[in-house]
Amino acid sequence: MIVLGIESSCDDTAAAVVRDGRQILSSTVSSQEEVHHRYGGVVPELASRKHIEAIVPVVDAALAEAQVDAGGLDAVAVTHGPGLVGSLLVGFSFAKALAFAADLPWVGVNHLEGHIHSALLADPPPPFPFTALLVSGGHTSIYYVTGPTAMERMGQTRDDAAGEAFDKVAKMLGLGYPGGVVIDRMAAKGDPSRIAFPRAYLDKDSFDFSFSGIKTSVSRYLQTHAETCREEMPDIVASFQEAVVEVLSFKLVKAARTRECRHAAVVGGVAANSRLRERVRREAASAGLTVHIPPVSLCGDNAAMIAAAGYHHLRAGARGTLDDDVFSRSPI
Ligand code: KG4
Ligand code: ZN
């Protein structure tokens, strides 16, 4: 089954063509980074306008690269939430219209489920069951995944998402938006043990997270070290990153042990972080776990993961109807 995936939940317009939920024939992403950069975060109204400009060329590019036209598709899968409603509506309405015009079945896909499918697109994919750490700009959660459409949330952040903490700390340091990549790069030159920022492990058996305390702690550090913080910048970001990565790795490994899984996955934009990739691999290996982390191109928002997740729902008989709608908050 050849599925066209469409994703527009935040600030990336993406389309992809995937065969049988596994083979990526094309994956195109148009980033709006330069539009939002100067505002230090995503401006919803600008995001939806940019999606309107980008959606047709992005879908055309994905079809051309996969060497199929609408007649060669078997179905369409599109993100229906969670995300920015104005952004979601662009991809969603486009997908509905395309499916209607080409007489194709279509299905709405949960963005978070899509991210988990990016691990199933990795080589090799994790066998079921596995635990998945989903770390992005909007979410930080751990799931117990027993099948392509069966996932149970074990815990989630009680305040900021990990990516949001990276972005906010980068903003405080004047490093621009989005901050994750810049911090990742700069941290490689710093000493991660220089400053003991707090690690929020919360209750002993909880798989929840909290990142607001560390953000406040970095802000306080900057106030009390205003004269030296410029030269200390690599140490500050390395120490901040280490505190976040330590808690994420610990809880993922613990979740896998609790559910007696031998496989774990890390997905979402923050899964591109080089220190997180390294530390999770090391800690998982010493716990006898195999870790599956998608290539960096599939960590951030993309439509291949949406097509892959949609494929399984379509095979199970799910079908979208013209009166379906988008939603901003996630039920999973
Ligand atoms: O999954 P994603 O593209 O969009 C959401 O669904 O939120 O994730 C975006 C987030 C941003 O907060 C960005 O700063 C973060 O992922 N990010 C990183 C890295 N690359 C992207 N955070 C840390 N290190 C990175 N290398
Ligand atoms: Zn995402």
Side-chain angles (χ1 to χ4, degrees), residues 115-117 119-120 125-135 141-147 150-155 207 209 248-267 280 284 287 289-294:
H115 272 301
I116 289 171
H117 272 268
L120 294 163
F128 299 110
F130 63 92
T131 47
L133 169 68
L134 163 57
V135 260
S141 333
I142 294 184
Y143 292 90
Y144 175 56
V145 187
T146 51
M151 38 206 80
E152 172 202 334
R153 194 175 61 211
M154 297 174 68
F207 294 107
F209 299 94
L248 293 173
S249 316
F250 175 84
K251 295 221 175 196
L252 175 63
V253 171
K254 189 167 176 205
R257 278 194 167 147
T258 304
R259 293 297 176 104
E260 296 178 353
C261 291
R262 294 184 44 227
H263 294 263
V266 188
V267 299
V280 166
L289 277 174
T290 306
V291 177
H292 305 256
I293 311 178

Side-chain angles (χ1 to χ4, degrees), residues 55-108:
I55 189 79
V56 172
V58 165
V59 170
D60 279 349
L63 292 175
E65 196 190 323
Q67 299 184 336
V68 288
D69 55 20
L73 296 171
D74 296 306
V76 179
V78 59
T79 307
H80 58 172
L84 300 169
V85 165
S87 290
L88 285 162
L89 274 172
V90 178
F92 194 67
S93 309
F94 182 91
K96 266 186 188 177
L98 175 71
F100 183 73
D103 200 19
L104 292 170
W106 69 277
V107 73

Side-chain angles (χ1 to χ4, degrees), residues 7 9-12 111-112 115 134-139 162-167 177-185 241 267-274 296 299-302 305:
E7 151 66 37
S9 64
C10 190
D11 60 342
D12 291 310
H111 181 79
L112 308 180
H115 272 301
L134 163 57
V135 260
S136 71
H139 298 86
E164 196 178 350
F166 270 93
D167 294 340
Y177 173 86
V181 185
V182 189
I183 289 186
D184 189 351
R185 220 175 294 133
Q241 177 178 269
V267 299
V270 184
N273 184 269
S274 45
V296 170
C299 290
D301 289 344
N302 66 86
M305 66 187 197

Side-chain angles (χ1 to χ4, degrees), residues 5 7 25 47 54 69 78 99 114 146 148 156 170 176 202 218 230 241-242 244 247-248 257 269 277 285 287 309 313:
E7 151 66 37
L25 303 180
D69 55 20
V78 59
T146 51
Q156 66 177 326
L202 306 174
V218 173
R230 192 162 277 279
Q241 177 178 269
E242 199 62 20
V244 173
V247 176
L248 293 173
R257 278 194 167 147
R277 295 168 87 92
H313 287 287

